[in-house]
Structure formats: C-alpha cells, structure tokens
C-alpha cells in the first residue's frame, strides 16, 4: 500500500486532495452528490463576519477551457456558519479548513478566533486574493490584499496572534512577483501557502456590446489557468520553506501529480467539481494507480522533484 499521508503545519491529511473554497459549499450539498471519504480535507466557502449578498448577476460564464466567476463572496456570515453549517462538518471524516475574509484587521481576528474555538476546524485559510470584491483594507478598487506584501504580512500577523491552528495564506497570481508576497506571508507566521486564486478576466458579448458578467470582470479558473498556476507554485517552492498547496485547473490525477512534482505538498480541486462532483475520488484513484505502477511508496517522495534548475 502506498502512503498518501501528508502534513501541513499541525495538520495531517490522509491524502493530499482538498476541495477548493467556493466550489464545494460547506460540504453538505456535495455529500448528496459524491462520496466525501476520498478527500483529505475540505476548504469551506469563504465566510465573512456579516452576511454578503455577492455581486449582481450574471455571475458565471463559461470560457474556452475554463470559467469566469464574479460571485463576490456571497455567504451568510459567521453566525450562520456557527449555527447552521458546523453541525454537518462535525460529522465528516475529511479535515475542515475554514476560509475567512475580513473587511478590517479586527474582522479577520474575530473570524479566526471564533472558528478556532470549534472542535471540527483543523486549519484556517486566509482568503486575501478574491478578485471579485473590493478589499476595504486596500486603497484602490481592484487592489487585493495579496497584491501588497505589507498588507499581506499585517493580516497574517494579526490573525497569527489569535489562533494556534494551521494558518494557510491564499495568494493571487495577479501580481508581478508572487514569491515576494509568499515570503512576506511566511515571515509573518503563515504555516503554508495556497496558490492560486483565480486570474482576473473579462468576457464580452459582441451582439450586445455588453460584458457577460454583471460586475464586468471576474475570476478565471479551470484548465485554462493550469500552466500559470504551475509556474506560480514552482516559483514559490523555490522561494519559501513552508508547504505549498496548489490549485488551478486540476482535472485529472496527472494534473495533480504535476503540481506535486512542481513542489506542492497538497492540491485543491475546484472547477472540476462543477463538471463532475466525483472528480476528487477519480483523481485519487488515478494518483494511486500512478504510484503503484511506478513503485513509488510515499507521495512525499515526489514533492518538488521537478528536474532542471531554471535561472
Ligand atoms: C465559483 C467559484 C467560487 C469561488 N469562491 C472562492 C471563495 O469563496 N474563496 C476562495 O478562496 N476561492 C474561491 N474560488 C477559487 C477556487 O478556490 C480556486 O482557487 C480557483 O478556482 C482555482 O482552482 P480551479 O481552477 O481548480 O477551480 C472560487 C472559484 C470558483 C470557480
């Protein structure tokens, strides 16, 4: 039997597959469509302190080899999470990572402190990289926290003070140098990095001359972004010592293995779940078959084994 177990900070996962935030809800609805037992962990839809309605429709559009979304962090807020979502999460076998986004340092801290008190929560993912909202911690309308090393470090430091749980910082590819931001998060106390969130994009209907999304721009995900994501995680793996969790267009076991070879200790599956809710189980089977065929006993022995050095 091959060993698929991996650790990220204080978190141990039975396998490296994680459901990506915003593509798996809070697990309950997906449990009706697929078997959750194949997943190492689930990242919840990002929660905010207060409920958010999200952006005006349309909020989803298909693109060649991907999709654009401008959901805008629609969620029912922290109280609803505590009263209505936790009950189900307590029952499942996969580890739970709660994704949080705050409008201020105090909000980030309240969210982190509150979810840290829940027995079923194993880790926190800081969503500093959603391209579909105005980040009130930043000055410009489209600037994300994870586009600014100082703001990233400040949030990580503030949250670090409020939780002993494994802290994961989710980065955006919409930057000149992702390693600069990754290093800032590492220095500020993040236990791991998650990369990448979606890439800001635009789709236009030429018949009407209008954008296809209500907010005009949105985040691109799916196979179209895989090479960008792979490049980002590979660069990060050479720049930081903390584990990297990769995401961006993973649809198959071989996609997931590419991320692991590029330097990721775990991977997140997002858009693939919209096409096939069982995607993660299939990806896990494909990884197991690959390991068996190639007589690789431990998935960890593949992490960061990309041949060639680059510049
Ligand atoms: C509809 C949709 C909603 C998303 N919502 C969130 C979210 O709430 N928080 C977050 O951190 N990422 C969110 N993401 C980004 C995904 O978690 C993931 O990082 C990204 O889509 C890249 O992976 P993929 O190509 O496998 O989907 C969302 C993505 C999609 C497609």
């Amino acid at each position: 039997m091959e060993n698929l177990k991996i650790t990220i900070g204080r978190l141990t996962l039975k396998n490296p597959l994680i459901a990506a935030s915003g593509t798996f809800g809070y697990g309950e609805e997906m449990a009706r469509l697929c078997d959750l037992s194949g997943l190492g962990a689930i990242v919840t839809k990002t929660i905010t302190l207060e409920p958010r309605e999200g952006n005006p429709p349309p909020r989803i559009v298909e693109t060649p080899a991907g999709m654009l979304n401008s959901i805008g962090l629609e969620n029912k807020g922290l109280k609803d999470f505590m009263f209505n979502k936790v009950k189900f999460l307590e029952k499942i076998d996969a580890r739970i990572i709660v994704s949080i986004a705050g409008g201020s340092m105090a909000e980030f801290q309240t969210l982190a402190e509150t979810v840290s008190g829940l027995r079923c929560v194993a880790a926190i993912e800081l969503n500093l990289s959603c391209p579909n909202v105005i980040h009130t911690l930043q000055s410009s309308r489209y600037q994300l926290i994870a586009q600014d090393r100082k703001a990233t470090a400040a949030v990580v430091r503030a949250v670090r003070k409020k939780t002993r749980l494994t802290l994961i910082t989710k980065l955006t590819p919409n930057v000149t140098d992702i390693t600069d931001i990754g290093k800032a998060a590492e220095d500020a106390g993040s236990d791991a990095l998650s990369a990448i969130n979606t890439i800001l994009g635009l789709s236009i209907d030429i018949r009407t001359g209008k954008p296809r999304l209500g907010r005009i721009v949105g985040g691109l995900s799916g196979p179209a972004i895989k090479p960008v994501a792979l490049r980002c995680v590979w660069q990060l793996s050479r720049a930081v010592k903390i584990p990297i969790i990769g995401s961006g267009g993973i649809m198959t076991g071989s996609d997931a293995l590419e991320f692991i070879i590029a330097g990721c200790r775990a991977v997140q599956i997002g858009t693939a779940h919209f096409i096939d809710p069982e995607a993660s189980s299939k990806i896990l089977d494909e990884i197991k078959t690959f390991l068996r065929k190639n007589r690789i006993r431990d998935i960890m022995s593949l992490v960061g084994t990309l041949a060639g050095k680059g510049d």
Side-chain angles (χ1 to χ4, degrees), residues 1 15 19 34 58 62 86 92 94 96 108 111 136 140 144 146 190 192-193 218 241-242 263 290 295 301:
M1 277 282 278
N15 71 57
C34 66
E62 258 188 77
V86 170
I92 58 178
I96 305 302
F108 268 110
L111 285 157
T136 42
S140 131
L144 313 180
S190 191
L193 302 174
K241 292 195 179 66
I242 51 178
F290 176 86
R295 298 178 195 279
S301 66

Side-chain angles (χ1 to χ4, degrees), residues 144-189:
L144 313 180
I145 298 169
Q147 283 173 328
D148 179 334
R149 66 188 321 280
K150 280 194 189 144
T152 300
V155 175
V156 173
R157 228 178 280 121
V159 171
R160 184 73 285 174
K161 285 187 197 144
K162 298 291 177 184
T163 185
R164 295 185 66 228
L165 291 181
T166 297
L167 193 56
I168 303 161
T169 306
K170 187 161 180 180
L171 303 180
T172 177
N174 303 305
V175 285
T176 309
D177 182 0
I178 196 165
T179 66
D180 195 32
I181 314 292
K183 282 191 270 188
E186 178 180 44
D187 292 346

Side-chain angles (χ1 to χ4, degrees), residues 20-22 45-46 69 73 127 170 196-198 221-222 247-249 270-271:
S21 181
K45 170 73 187 167
T46 299
N69 91 80
L73 298 187
N127 181 1
K170 187 161 180 180
I196 57 174
N197 210 320
T198 52
S221 64
S247 65
T271 301

Side-chain angles (χ1 to χ4, degrees), residues 78 114 119 182 201 278:
L78 179 63
T114 311
R119 239 182 333 132
E278 298 278 7

